[in-house]
Amino acid sequence: MSNEHGFELLRDEFIPELNTRARLYRHIKTGAELLSLENDDENKCFGITFRTPPRDSTGIAHILEHSVLCGSRKYPVKDPFFTLVKGSVHTFLNAITFPDKTAYPVASTNLKDFYNLVDVYLDAVFFPRITPEILKQEGWHFELPAPDAPISIKGVVYNEMKGAYSSPDGMLYRYSQQSLFPDTTYGYSSGGDPLVIPDLTYEAFKRFHETLYHPSNARIFFYGDDPPAERLRKLDEYLSQFEPITPPSQIEKQERFTAPRTFEYTFSAADNEQQKGMVMVNWLIDDNRDPTQLMARELLSYMLLGNAAAPLRKALIDSGLGEEVIGGYESDLLQHTFSVGMKGIDPANAEQVEALILRTLNELAEHGFDPETIAAAFNTFEFSLRENNTGSFPRGLVLMMRALSTWLYDDDPIAPLRFEAPLAAVRTAVANGERLFERLIRELLLDNPHRTRVTLRPDPEYAARLAAAEQARIEAFAATLDDEKRAALIAETQALAEWQQTPDPPEALATIPTLHLSDLDREVKRIPTDIDEMDGVPLLRHPLFTNGIVYLDLAFDLRALPPQLLPYVPLFARALTEMGTATSDFVRLLQRIGRETGGISAATMTATDIVTAAPVGRLVVRGKSTLAQTTELIKLLQEILLTVKLDNQERFRQIVLRARANKESSLVPAGNAYARQRLAARFSPAEWADEQMGGISAIFFLRELEQRIQQDWPGVLADLEMVRTSLINRRGLVVNLTLDADGQKTVLPLLHDLIASLPDQPYSPASWPTSRIDDGEGLIIPAQVNYVAKGVNLHAHGIRPSGAAMVVLRHLRIDYLLDRIRIQGGAYGASGNYDRSTGLFITTSYRDPNLLRTLDVYDEMATYLQTIALDSTTVERAIIGTIGDMDAYQLPDAKGYTALVRYLTSISDEYRQQIRDQVLATSPADFVAFAEAAAALRDHGQVAVLGPADSIEAANRERPGLLKPVKVL
């Protein structure tokens, strides 16, 4: 047996489709397993994952995930995670709790930084300081700050999960999983049920770590171009300190049902939402991890639900029983599941939805899929797998999660990384006439009695019952307190606050590894861009290696549109591919897009020109394909842009219903973004346009539009036609092409034909206003937490901060706001940002139990900055973290799009270098200087809060007239 730094090599293979060498190791002493992927990707990744199946819904795995990052043996500070963030240029840094595992992934393109991240994480998971104070802070505690104050329950995870349990979508998925697995770990909430979290004891918390956060229960992952041998050496330094154990982490299989089951739950909703329920039909499949089987099942799921033309999705939408379809195949648990359901239903129709699902599946099993649907699915999957486009998420970490789908259950971690052979095997089976997908529908779904139907019914009393249950728990606890115990609770509360507010000693902070300014590039990263004209249209070309994939963006000017029609634009963007053309109905069109391209989509972007301060708005139509598919891509774009059919009333109504349902369901998960957007619209025309198209105003518009479609369809159609004729115009168009130089030679002649075919109509750019709202707004939604925003236009007060403001704000986010709003206040998060193009300085909180206290924290920021005393190390770390944000890792398509946005907003490389120089030159004096901006926020800032009615009413009782109530949901 070979021994390299305490590891034995189990397998050594090459994965051609990833151009990666995969080596699987076992740590000889402890049994820890390591999957080491070696390639030339500079975005290096590391992750350590533990199998952590919960045995109750106290959220123990979730709370521990937070807590191990609150100080360790080697790094004895209260929050090494955020201290590390300050001086790192990481491309990813997080910790994630899943139903049966907890993962700690990091990524960086800088080797020194990467090693720093790895070491802090290894020490954190193996040797954390999980004290009772940390459990109180991150998990839960009873709080009594003064004798005459009410007792409350506080804690970061406690409030995070109150927010999560305010999201109907999240509740539906959670209840669906629990319905299929009533007798296993998956029947519990790994994140934690707020009604159960206070049952967690410190003893159970400690025991969970001691038994499960052990090398014998670890799956460790490395990826990228770092030295492979060093991976083993660094790991062995930690692993060799442990003796092997048999961790109690086995996951039991759920016994099969002999008949389907039904469940009904409620969620918080307003009185006017009685017809807006949800339903999900779920199947427990099996634990078959054969790669070919998995490929076939994922293809089947895509063909059933993957786009608007998918037959099961289409049948459900066409039925009119609901507004949006949800679901899919889930292979990341021990036993796989498949779910399909609808949002926006009458709960009384839940059984009809289930019957329609079964009837449609039976028809597909009997008659099969359209061959075009199958061909489109194969091309879509193959393109996606070969492109390997993971967006801003590091590629290596996507592979880690894919490997864990088998590895966590003691199966082969390398098999899921290969896709050539499984895809070819499925393609061959279908080509040979095997009715593979039809058989899978029967075996996995129709003939499978382990099925559940979960219905969620809106309930106006739900929030009040939850609040009453929380209060009952508090009162039951209070009843156990005599004077001595009550005084002890006050002392504990004050001691926790004192501990939270006491700064870490300098010698402890000095243990946290950091980069130095000398480790950073002083020059900005430039994206190669050639700017030409083609038929009078600006053409941006980016000669980047894209592995033979063409990325094409067509940016049409939104200011060619009358302002009152802006709310239609996201609907028009969806209509381009979901309503059909002169020669293809929308089913046929989506089949062609799937079969002949890598995808076509459209989305809006708004910004402000950094030089002229003029608003910028674009509808960006994006297409991608292999070089060989370019002709078809261009033909399809031309057909869609010139001949999209907008006159199908029922199809457009479906698009509107779906858009409204999705916006409403995103209010709780993205409440901070909505509050910020609503506030920003008061100060900036570009932000106003963005809010009209995607904010609270857009939700109100969509509700009104539903009625207009029924009452005045000719008027709605006229508006849509006006949108088309105004936007699809060569005038004002900017074309953006990302592809290597040789490939561009093939594409440019085809691009000329596309541009030449577009209408050429002169127009005068429309002026955009700002929102006419002066009062604070209380935007009422059925939730258990708040999202608090306050903002000001600094330019209007003569304040124009330099690039150093980016450094100051990063420090404020991670030090000041995080400490007072998350750690002391119990919110999940907080942020503050300044947009130098508009002058907007806006602070926000996320899943916040407080409202007025958070506003006070914002207002006290100026005093904090005026009195702050910073050492050079703190400033240096803030600079390094800011540079890391500025140099975010990007894949080729993202680079091309970023260059387009910079062009549209007049952000030159020279300007970027000027800002970078100011960032690198930041001094303590810049922090004090930013107090002027914080004072403007305090004295002139306006407020928008998204939250429950009782919270907004309570704020107005204490500060009359603070918030004008606006019912959103």
Side-chain angles (χ1 to χ4, degrees):
M1 178 177 65
S2 63
N3 183 331
E4 185 179 2
H5 296 296
F7 285 86
E8 61 175 324
L9 179 64
L10 304 179
R11 291 170 63 186
D12 187 347
E13 302 176 13
F14 186 72
I15 306 176
E17 48 263 64
L18 299 176
N19 193 30
T20 292
R21 182 180 185 180
R23 293 199 273 192
L24 182 64
Y25 293 92
R26 178 184 176 275
H27 190 248
I28 297 167
K29 182 179 179 183
T30 64
E33 293 187 354
L34 164 67
L35 179 58
S36 180
L37 301 185
E38 305 163 19
N39 53 42
D40 61 359
D41 192 341
E42 66 170 339
N43 199 14
K44 293 163 276 289
C45 301
F46 162 82
I48 183 165
T49 301
F50 301 96
R51 194 160 57 194
T52 53
R55 308 301 178 193
D56 55 41
S57 292
T58 59
I60 189 168
H62 186 191
I63 294 169
L64 190 58
E65 172 236 301
H66 281 239
S67 299
V68 300
L69 297 172
C70 292
S72 64
R73 183 178 69 180
K74 191 174 178 180
Y75 305 110
V77 299
K78 290 200 296 289
D79 204 338
F81 177 84
F82 287 104
T83 306
L84 183 66
V85 165
K86 297 172 190 175
S88 168
V89 293
H90 61 274
T91 56
F92 191 88
L93 183 67
N94 210 337
I96 312 167
T97 303
F98 297 89
D100 56 9
K101 61 182 176 282
T102 308
Y104 295 85
V106 303
S108 181
T109 58
N110 181 293
L111 183 62
K112 179 180 176 182
D113 186 49
F114 181 63
Y115 286 155
N116 290 345
L117 300 173
V118 170
D119 197 64
V120 170
Y121 263 42
L122 286 173
D123 204 66
V125 297
F126 288 129
F127 304 109
R129 299 187 311 164
I130 43 176
T131 63
E133 290 80 12
I134 290 171
L135 174 59
K136 291 176 183 178
Q137 172 180 286
E138 298 299 322
W140 77 277
H141 65 278
F142 286 112
E143 183 166 292
L144 181 59
D148 57 347
I151 297 174
S152 60
I153 303 176
K154 291 290 182 67
V156 173
V157 170
Y158 181 75
N159 285 308
E160 177 188 352
M161 295 312 296
K162 286 178 74 173
Y165 272 70
S166 298
S167 167
D169 286 38
M171 293 172 68
L172 182 62
Y173 279 98
R174 193 159 38 248
Y175 289 140
S176 292
Q177 176 184 298
Q178 292 169 354
S179 75
L180 291 173
F181 297 96
D183 307 314
T184 79
T185 187
Y186 302 125
Y188 300 111
S189 171
S190 63
D193 182 336
L195 294 178
V196 183
I197 287 174
D199 291 337
L200 178 60
T201 66
Y202 180 67
E203 291 72 26
F205 177 62
K206 282 279 288 183
R207 187 166 57 250
F208 196 84
H209 177 268
E210 290 166 358
T211 56
L212 296 181
Y213 276 58
H214 189 281
S216 300
N217 192 40
R219 278 83 173 162
I220 307 171
F221 177 89
F222 272 95
Y223 165 97
D225 65 357
D226 55 302
E230 186 66 6
R231 300 172 175 179
L232 306 181
R233 190 192 66 77
K234 286 184 174 295
L235 289 175
D236 186 56
E237 286 182 355
Y238 279 93
L239 303 182
S240 61
Q241 299 179 56
F242 291 83
E243 298 299 324
I245 66 169
T246 301
S249 66
Q250 286 304 118
I251 303 169
E252 302 301 322
K253 289 185 182 179
Q254 172 66 47
E255 291 188 11
R256 312 290 305 194
F257 297 170
T258 57
R261 302 179 183 182
T262 60
F263 302 84
E264 182 171 295
Y265 302 93
T266 63
F267 66 92
S268 183
D271 291 323
N272 62 353
E273 288 187 272
Q274 292 304 315
Q275 301 303 309
K276 304 300 181 185
M278 298 180 175
V279 65
M280 188 85 92
V281 180
N282 315 282
W283 285 265
L284 181 68
I285 307 300
D286 56 30
D287 60 346
N288 189 328
R289 302 189 190 285
D290 175 74
T292 301
Q293 277 289 317
L294 285 174
M295 182 68 73
R297 294 172 182 192
E298 288 167 0
L299 279 160
L300 173 62
S301 177
Y302 179 80
M303 288 191 293
L304 289 171
L305 298 170
N307 60 38
L312 182 53
R313 176 181 290 275
K314 184 175 184 298
L316 288 166
I317 291 296
D318 287 349
S319 72
L321 290 170
E323 299 167 345
E324 172 65 306
V325 176
I326 48 180
Y329 192 82
E330 171 62 67
S331 61
D332 287 337
L333 306 179
L334 174 63
Q335 291 162 285
H336 300 175
T337 65
F338 179 76
S339 300
V340 58
M342 296 197 83
K343 297 194 291 189
I345 69 160
D346 181 340
N349 292 334
E351 189 173 354
Q352 291 184 51
V353 174
E354 182 179 26
L356 176 57
I357 290 168
L358 296 174
R359 186 165 64 250
T360 305
L361 289 172
N362 194 65
E363 291 171 359
L364 288 167
E366 184 72 24
H367 303 294
F369 287 90
D370 183 337
E372 292 294 313
T373 296
I374 297 175
F378 274 117
N379 181 73
T380 297
F381 264 58
E382 183 171 8
F383 185 96
S384 176
L385 289 165
R386 294 192 188 285
E387 182 190 23
N388 195 20
N389 190 334
T390 58
S392 60
F393 199 74
R395 282 172 165 165
L397 297 184
V398 171
L399 296 178
M400 182 185 85
M401 300 312 302
R402 202 179 295 168
L404 285 168
S405 69
T406 55
W407 195 13
L408 194 78
Y409 313 109
D410 304 314
D411 212 333
D412 181 2
I414 298 177
L417 308 184
R418 302 181 183 277
F419 62 82
E420 295 272 15
L423 187 63
V426 177
R427 197 191 296 271
T428 298
V430 173
N432 290 339
E434 182 180 340
R435 303 191 77 226
L436 172 63
F437 300 116
E438 294 80 359
R439 175 174 57 79
L440 288 176
I441 290 175
R442 289 224 174 268
E443 290 179 358
L444 303 181
L445 305 177
L446 293 174
D447 297 338
N448 178 3
H450 197 120
R451 185 176 84 238
T452 65
R453 184 181 77 233
V454 176
T455 305
L456 252 65
R457 178 172 51 82
D459 178 3
E461 305 302 320
Y462 179 87
R465 285 201 308 275
L466 277 186
E470 181 183 62
Q471 188 59 34
R473 182 168 201 132
I474 292 171
E475 290 173 0
F477 171 72
T480 69
L481 302 178
D482 55 23
D483 290 344
E484 183 179 347
K485 290 180 179 179
R486 193 173 181 87
L489 180 59
I490 294 172
E492 287 179 18
T493 300
Q494 293 173 347
L496 178 62
E498 183 179 353
W499 174 77
Q500 291 172 329
Q501 295 167 20
T502 301
D504 290 306
E507 61 272 18
L509 289 171
T511 65
I512 302 295
T514 182
L515 296 178
H516 296 286
L517 294 184
S518 58
D519 297 315
L520 306 179
D521 292 331
R522 301 199 70 87
E523 298 294 318
V524 295
K525 294 183 177 181
R526 300 171 187 266
I527 299 170
T529 303
D530 299 318
I531 302 176
D532 303 309
E533 275 199 3
M534 179 175 283
D535 298 311
V537 171
L539 170 63
L540 279 60
R541 296 182 292 111
H542 313 290
L544 295 169
F545 175 74
T546 62
N547 204 23
I549 294 176
V550 179
Y551 296 104
L552 179 61
D553 304 314
L554 305 174
F556 296 95
D557 190 359
L558 290 179
R559 294 182 65 194
L561 192 65
Q564 69 271 18
L565 298 182
L566 279 172
Y568 280 102
V569 174
L571 301 169
F572 177 74
R574 183 169 290 172
L576 286 173
T577 56
E578 294 188 12
M579 286 192 69
T581 65
T583 59
S584 297
D585 64 23
F586 85 91
V587 174
R588 168 73 174 149
L589 177 63
L590 287 170
Q591 288 172 340
R592 289 172 58 199
I593 291 171
R595 191 184 71 238
E596 298 168 359
T597 77
I600 295 173
S601 62
T604 61
M605 66 81 59
T606 57
T608 299
D609 190 292
I610 197 70
V611 175
T612 66
V616 175
R618 295 280 164 165
L619 173 67
V620 185
V621 180
R622 312 194 71 188
K624 58 184 177 180
S625 71
T626 63
L627 195 57
Q629 295 172 325
T630 308
T631 299
E632 294 305 318
L633 172 65
I634 297 295
K635 285 181 179 178
L636 276 165
L637 285 170
Q638 188 174 38
E639 180 180 331
I640 289 167
L641 294 172
L642 296 178
T643 73
V644 59
K645 299 283 286 183
L646 301 171
D647 57 357
N648 185 329
Q649 180 179 0
E650 177 57 22
R651 180 66 194 139
F652 186 70
R653 189 184 73 87
Q654 292 171 358
I655 290 174
V656 171
L657 291 177
R658 178 182 173 193
R660 196 258 305 144
N662 285 336
K663 295 297 291 183
E664 289 178 346
S665 66
S666 69
L667 283 166
V668 170
N672 56 331
Y674 280 103
R676 184 218 164 273
Q677 194 177 35
R678 183 76 169 181
L679 194 59
R682 306 179 180 196
F683 303 107
S684 158
E687 297 279 7
W688 172 85
D690 185 57
E691 207 273 333
Q692 291 292 306
M693 294 185 288
I696 300 295
S697 294
I699 294 175
F700 294 154
F701 170 81
L702 290 167
R703 291 174 183 161
E704 294 172 1
L705 186 60
E706 286 181 44
Q707 304 303 315
R708 278 194 64 211
I709 290 170
Q710 302 298 330
Q711 300 165 4
D712 182 23
W713 172 243
V716 172
L717 181 58
D719 286 346
L720 285 172
E721 291 292 353
M722 176 65 76
V723 172
R724 184 230 301 268
T725 56
S726 299
L727 285 184
I728 308 306
N729 185 3
R730 197 191 314 176
R731 298 279 179 103
L733 173 65
V734 176
V735 178
N736 194 54
L737 176 64
T738 306
L739 181 64
D740 63 84
D742 287 341
Q744 289 184 19
K745 297 173 184 176
T746 301
V747 175
L748 290 176
L750 301 170
L751 199 51
H752 166 77
D753 295 339
L754 172 62
I755 293 172
S757 69
L758 297 176
D760 184 12
Q761 300 292 335
Y763 70 93
S764 298
S767 296
W768 292 343
T770 56
S771 296
R772 295 170 184 167
I773 301 172
D774 296 320
D775 300 322
E777 280 193 301
L779 305 161
I780 298 171
I781 60 171
Q784 301 179 62
V785 288
N786 303 299
Y787 306 87
V788 183
K790 186 169 186 177
V792 67
N793 187 334
L794 296 179
H795 293 178
H797 297 279
I799 303 170
R800 292 182 175 270
S802 72
M806 298 173 67
V807 181
V808 179
L809 280 163
R810 198 172 199 282
H811 174 83
L812 287 172
R813 287 193 296 270
I814 297 174
D815 271 78
Y816 179 82
L817 294 173
L818 181 85
D819 180 65
R820 287 156 178 77
I821 292 177
R822 176 183 165 118
I823 293 175
Q824 297 178 38
Y828 186 69
S831 188
N833 291 284
Y834 164 66
D835 181 346
R836 68 175 51 84
S837 66
T838 60
L840 294 188
F841 174 30
I842 298 179
T843 50
T844 59
S845 67
Y846 185 72
R847 290 184 177 172
D848 192 346
N850 306 302
L851 195 164
L852 297 179
R853 173 175 171 172
T854 297
L855 290 174
D856 290 342
V857 170
Y858 297 158
D859 289 350
E860 292 160 7
M861 195 185 306
T863 301
Y864 168 80
L865 288 170
Q866 288 164 349
T867 59
I868 194 171
L870 296 175
D871 57 36
S872 58
T873 300
T874 301
V875 175
E876 183 180 47
R877 280 181 166 157
I879 293 171
I880 291 165
T882 303
I883 293 294
D885 294 340
M886 296 170 72
D887 290 349
Y889 182 78
Q890 291 185 310
L891 297 175
D893 66 313
K895 290 180 179 178
Y897 186 79
T898 296
L900 169 65
V901 173
R902 289 174 183 166
Y903 171 84
L904 293 171
T905 54
S906 303
I907 297 176
S908 66
D909 287 339
E910 292 72 23
Y911 176 79
R912 293 175 56 234
Q913 186 63 53
Q914 176 187 338
I915 297 299
R916 190 183 191 90
D917 292 341
Q918 293 169 356
V919 166
L920 290 168
T922 301
S923 71
D926 292 303
F927 287 73
V928 177
F930 197 76
E932 183 184 18
L937 179 72
R938 178 193 62 207
D939 299 337
H940 307 290
Q942 298 186 37
V943 177
V945 177
L946 198 70
D950 58 352
S951 181
I952 290 166
E953 290 165 3
N956 279 333
R957 283 195 299 271
E958 189 165 340
R959 298 181 189 176
L962 175 70
L963 301 171
K964 178 182 178 182
V966 177
K967 190 168 186 178
V968 177
L969 196 61

